[in-house]
Amino acid sequence: MNKMTPFKNLHSREYRVHQKEVRSVAWNFTGTKLASGSEDLTARVWHIEPHGNMSQRNFVDLKGHKESVEQLCWDPKHADLVATASVDKTVRLWDDRTGKCARLVKLSGPNINIAYKPDGEHIAVVNTNNELTILDVRGFKPIHKKKFNCEVNEIAWNITSDILFVTTGKDDKGDEKGIVQVLSYPSLQPLDNLTAHTAGCNCIAIDPCGRYVAVGSADSLVSLWDISEMLCVRTFTNIESAVRTVSFNQSGEYLASGSIDCFIDIANVQTGRTVHQIPCGPAVNSVDWNPTSNLLAYAGDDNIKGIVRVFGFTSAG
């Protein structure tokens, strides 16, 4: 395969996994399971067979939420535990081996984003009340809370867990400043404000090697920041509308970005140039690279609701 176009001859496969729009997709840390959360009030976990195939029969449904499952994330140390954040104000921890909810906590507002601390000890959650809550996983109770005077969209820890990045939108006056707030952890004290974009910052991803943080914005740009220097080193201009979701592949060499454009952009991190575009539906809500291979899961608004697609196969299947 031509090294300049490593994705040229690869294909996507699609799976009807939900009854309504899929809001989030995420792989577990071993790359053997794929989870999806949906407006149909459920999450589903698929067990991945050798060569990346997903059996139509080998799955478990996680049922219990009363409203849309907006986001989910896997425990970075336990391949069977997945946490879900819902509009019903609850966060739930599930064991996919049983399909049962192992832990539950109700927070102050509809939850929109969730992230595990890299050591698996804490979970960060943000809601539409612009409140950040840190949960202790063992007791599944809040141990820190922080209220913001602006919209809070997504959160991410650096790989050493001493910095928490928070993407923000409109402030309390209705102005969009394109700020990423950088907080010390666990104190949650401000370290820096990155003026990243000219419009709200929607999404964020950490390079698996720990070098960079990527920020997607409503201004249609993705910025790449050197974490050690807190400096912007590159801007990706390949998307034409508000960027909704970003994800690095397992080597940190490529960055996938999704928006309301009819494609997902895959760019070389070092050059910023597009190496491939995946045709897709009218809008993408979530993209996530498999941590052990170049399989990219994605989902979003679709004419046929409830579809999850996985790109990276040598045949359409």
Side-chain angles (χ1 to χ4, degrees):
M1 187 178 294
N2 188 332
K3 292 184 178 180
M4 296 300 293
T5 54
F7 306 103
K8 181 178 180 181
N9 297 317
L10 300 181
H11 302 271
S12 293
R13 295 179 183 176
E14 67 177 41
Y15 307 88
R16 178 71 181 270
V17 297
H18 291 282
Q19 298 303 309
K20 293 184 179 181
E21 182 177 313
V22 180
R23 301 293 298 162
S24 178
V25 291
W27 300 92
N28 71 345
F29 77 92
T30 61
T32 57
K33 298 177 182 180
L34 177 64
S36 55
S38 170
E39 290 182 352
D40 68 6
L41 318 185
T42 71
R44 177 173 285 192
V45 175
W46 293 83
H47 295 253
I48 309 303
E49 298 175 344
H51 311 297
N53 295 318
M54 286 169 44
S55 169
Q56 295 289 342
R57 297 180 298 275
N58 197 7
F59 65 86
V60 60
D61 285 326
L62 309 179
K63 297 180 179 180
H65 283 295
K66 305 303 181 185
E67 296 191 54
S68 174
V69 179
E70 287 295 291
Q71 276 277 340
L72 45 77
C73 62
W74 289 89
D75 186 312
K77 301 296 183 181
H78 298 90
D80 305 309
L81 300 179
V82 61
T84 54
S86 171
V87 177
D88 67 12
K89 302 183 182 180
T90 69
V91 176
R92 296 173 185 244
L93 183 65
W94 308 81
D95 187 328
D96 84 275
R97 294 167 295 186
T98 64
K100 296 185 182 300
C101 177
R103 297 280 192 276
L104 180 151
V105 64
K106 190 168 186 177
L107 302 179
S108 67
N111 300 305
I112 57 173
N113 194 243
I114 187 169
Y116 255 102
K117 188 164 168 266
D119 63 10
E121 294 181 356
H122 298 159
I123 295 174
V125 186
V126 294
N127 62 32
T128 57
N129 291 341
N130 305 323
E131 185 175 69
L132 166 67
T133 301
I134 306 296
L135 301 175
D136 174 70
V137 172
R138 182 172 297 180
F140 222 67
K141 294 181 179 179
I143 56 172
H144 303 292
K145 288 187 178 182
K146 185 178 179 67
K147 182 80 171 178
F148 294 80
N149 61 359
C150 57
E151 293 176 347
V152 178
N153 293 320
E154 288 197 359
I155 45 184
W157 267 285
N158 67 336
I159 63 172
T160 53
S161 302
D162 58 345
I163 294 175
L164 190 62
F165 295 92
V166 182
T167 63
T168 67
K170 293 180 180 179
D171 62 20
D172 53 7
K173 297 180 181 178
D175 297 326
E176 288 194 273
K177 299 185 182 298
I179 298 292
V180 177
Q181 295 194 26
V182 184
L183 307 179
S184 175
Y185 195 80
S187 71
L188 299 182
Q189 293 302 306
L191 287 176
D192 205 344
N193 275 347
L194 307 181
T195 305
H197 291 273
T198 58
C201 298
N202 293 335
C203 51
I204 192 166
I206 303 293
D207 157 34
C209 300
R211 299 164 298 181
Y212 304 119
V213 56
V215 180
S217 170
D219 65 9
S220 80
L221 301 176
V222 178
S223 58
L224 185 73
W225 296 76
D226 183 308
I227 293 177
S228 64
E229 302 290 337
M230 293 298 174
L231 293 175
C232 182
V233 295
R234 194 159 295 107
T235 300
F236 301 82
T237 60
N238 312 319
I239 296 290
E240 299 174 359
S241 58
V243 182
R244 289 182 168 194
T245 176
V246 290
S247 178
F248 288 94
N249 78 326
Q250 87 275 14
S251 67
E253 185 178 2
Y254 300 107
L255 181 70
S257 306
S259 67
I260 61 172
D261 296 340
C262 293
F263 62 85
I264 294 169
D265 185 77
I266 300 177
N268 182 290
V269 169
Q270 294 304 318
T271 66
R273 296 175 181 169
T274 294
V275 297
H276 190 73
Q277 290 184 338
I278 306 170
C280 60
V284 178
N285 292 330
S286 180
V287 297
D288 195 45
W289 286 101
N290 186 293
T292 62
S293 67
N294 272 337
L295 293 176
L296 179 70
Y298 60 100
D301 302 343
D302 211 295
N303 293 328
I304 304 174
K305 299 297 184 184
I307 297 292
V308 170
R309 293 179 173 85
V310 180
F311 171 79
F313 297 102
T314 54
S315 64

